[in-house]
Amino acid sequence: MDKVYLDNSATTKPKSEVIEAMMKPLTTTYGNPSSLHSMGEEAEKLIKQARRNLARIIRADGREIIFTSGGTEANNLAIHGTLDTLKRYGNHIITTKVEHSSVLTTLEELEKEGWEVTYLEVDETGKLDLQQLQKVISEDTVLVSIMHVNSEVGTIQPIAEVKEIINKYKDSKLYLHVDGVQALGKIELDVSNSQIDLLSLSSHKIHGPKGVGGLYISEDIRLKPQFSGGGQEMGYRGGTENVPGIVGFGQAAELISGNIKQATDYMQKLKKRLAQGIINNLNGVQINGPELKEGVAHILNLSFRGLKGEVLIHALEDKNVYASTGSACSSQNSDLSHVLQAMGIDDEAMEGAVRFSLSSENTEEEIDYVIDVLTDIVPQLRKIIG
Ligand SMILES: Cc1ncc(COP(=O)(O)O)c(C=O)c1O
């Protein structure tokens, strides 16, 4: 079997249409979007189109989207940018224990500067504690930052309920930032309905190029830019735009537009097939995270008792299967997953955790191949280690 790529939460394969679209600003429309001549205008038009494409899938206005270098920068800008303008209204931030490192490390640094941060607990499925949120939120809270979909275990957080709780503090300055990096293209996002104030997005999780992302900023919100320059991106992000990257992101967004339900129904089917196939064939396997139908369609986190996730990843690679132990962005860190720890998963299960993450390009044949490979190698590895 050719490469079976099941690490789509880490990154996805750029679609051929995306690569093709990116060639235009690399070869012919290479003007600087800020230039006044027609070549500049043409490049600017390409960016506008990408902005419109992205706005359409999250039901925003194009003027509310700015492009960044990725989800990490979008998270940093959302947090630092709001806090720089909100510090006179309060000193308290709320997040969860299971956020992406780009949020957690940013907030840990802010704690050192004197901000008070509450890290909400999650239950055994990774879902945040709404009652705790209700208890800790106060007039002093200026920012709530929650990820929509957990990148390691696929939990979908109850953003609407979070917003309902926040709405009781409507009169104070309190913003809701949502890290939507793993949600884009996997669940329907509607910023107008959900009243999200800031939403972080990333291109390379939806078959676009790496190094480009976006931040939705609701029109009534003002952020302090984190780097100054020529006033690009509505003044929020100085610097000549990454036109090919932005065009690729816009094209990737266009390709998923109107297609989310069909794609996620298909991935749910593959996820169920994979989970059931493995669990039926092997002992000592558990699902980490929500029940199959409750979790996001593309993420399946399983623990193989008695094995180390890392060992299994390499054994899978020998058979041309690519998966990961958790978030790629934190896998250099050899500590056990902060997400699984927060969920109260026991040490043996944490050590044996593997994340399989799907895309709509995976096939049933690939899934069956992975089931066969695991059915073969897991007992062998257990025998060697045991
Ligand atoms: C939930 C989440 N937020 C943020 C990021 C960072 O995005 P980027 O890789 O575009 O910086 C990731 C990447 O894995 C992610 O999964």
Side-chain angles (χ1 to χ4, degrees), residues 9 70-72 75 100 102 147 151 179 181-182 202 204-205 329:
S9 287
T72 298
N75 283 341
H100 185 261
S102 54
M147 78 198 323
S151 46
D179 176 349
V181 167
Q182 294 289 345
S202 177
H204 71 109
K205 313 289 184 179
C329 318

Side-chain angles (χ1 to χ4, degrees), residues 246-283:
I246 291 170
V247 168
F249 190 12
Q251 182 63 41
E254 175 69 10
L255 290 171
I256 56 174
S257 159
N259 196 24
I260 294 176
K261 171 135 184 29
Q262 198 189 344
T264 52
D265 282 353
Y266 176 66
M267 286 188 280
Q268 272 288 0
K269 211 170 85 180
L270 292 186
K271 180 177 83 163
K272 193 168 159 204
R273 190 180 182 101
L274 181 62
Q276 289 180 342
I278 295 169
I279 288 168
N280 287 344
N281 289 3
L282 292 167
N283 294 323

Side-chain angles (χ1 to χ4, degrees), residues 23-256:
M23 290 311 284
K24 196 170 174 195
L26 285 168
T27 52
T28 51
T29 317
Y30 53 81
N32 186 322
S34 299
S35 292
L36 294 179
H37 49 68
S38 59
M39 283 179 72
E41 273 170 27
E42 280 170 28
E44 176 63 21
K45 258 194 216 153
L46 292 179
I47 294 182
K48 264 200 186 138
Q49 182 59 50
R51 226 186 283 285
R52 271 199 299 271
N53 290 354
L54 212 61
R56 193 172 336 119
I57 45 173
I58 63 165
R59 314 241 197 300
D61 189 285
R63 285 166 303 184
E64 297 172 307
I65 306 277
I66 68 148
F67 289 109
T68 66
S69 67
T72 298
E73 186 192 327
N75 283 341
N76 272 267
L77 175 59
I79 295 170
H80 284 297
T82 46
L83 295 181
D84 279 344
T85 62
L86 293 179
K87 54 185 162 219
R88 59 203 159 107
Y89 298 102
N91 186 47
H92 182 223
I93 306 159
I94 300 174
T95 188
T96 77
K97 287 190 165 177
V98 295
E99 299 301 306
H100 185 261
S101 55
S102 54
V103 167
L104 287 179
T105 51
T106 302
L107 293 179
E108 280 158 20
E109 281 158 22
L110 286 165
E111 272 185 291
K112 289 182 203 143
E113 292 171 21
W115 287 90
E116 194 196 318
V117 183
T118 303
Y119 299 88
L120 298 176
E121 302 287 337
V122 297
D123 65 16
E124 67 286 356
T125 70
K127 199 161 176 175
L128 67 88
D129 186 341
L130 286 166
Q131 280 180 352
Q132 191 192 1
L133 172 63
Q134 209 140 16
K135 255 189 234 147
V136 299
I137 194 166
S138 75
E139 299 289 341
D140 204 31
T141 311
V142 288
L143 180 68
V144 175
S145 179
I146 309 277
M147 78 198 323
H148 210 321
V149 170
N150 187 274
S151 46
E152 288 189 40
V153 293
T155 317
I156 301 172
Q157 298 295 4
I159 299 298
E161 278 107 312
V162 167
K163 187 64 193 180
E164 230 171 81
I165 294 171
I166 290 179
N167 276 348
K168 294 187 194 130
Y169 291 81
K170 270 210 281 280
D171 295 336
S172 55
K173 282 271 186 204
L174 169 49
Y175 293 160
L176 172 61
H177 164 238
V178 173
D179 176 349
V181 167
Q182 294 289 345
L184 183 64
K186 310 304 186 321
I187 53 179
E188 297 286 352
L189 293 169
D190 182 346
V191 287
S192 57
N193 246 348
S194 54
Q195 305 164 344
I196 291 170
D197 297 310
L198 298 138
L199 180 71
S200 300
L201 306 165
S202 177
S203 152
H204 71 109
K205 313 289 184 179
I206 61 159
H207 303 280
K210 294 168 186 58
V212 56
L215 181 63
Y216 157 80
I217 308 169
S218 171
E219 61 178 349
D220 33 82
I221 298 223
R222 290 287 161 270
L223 298 189
K224 183 159 181 252
Q226 296 305 297
F227 34 94
S228 321
Q232 289 91 344
E233 294 302 293
M234 277 69 109
Y236 282 127
R237 186 180 190 266
T240 303
E241 298 89 337
N242 168 9
V243 187
I246 291 170
V247 168
F249 190 12
Q251 182 63 41
E254 175 69 10
L255 290 171
I256 56 174

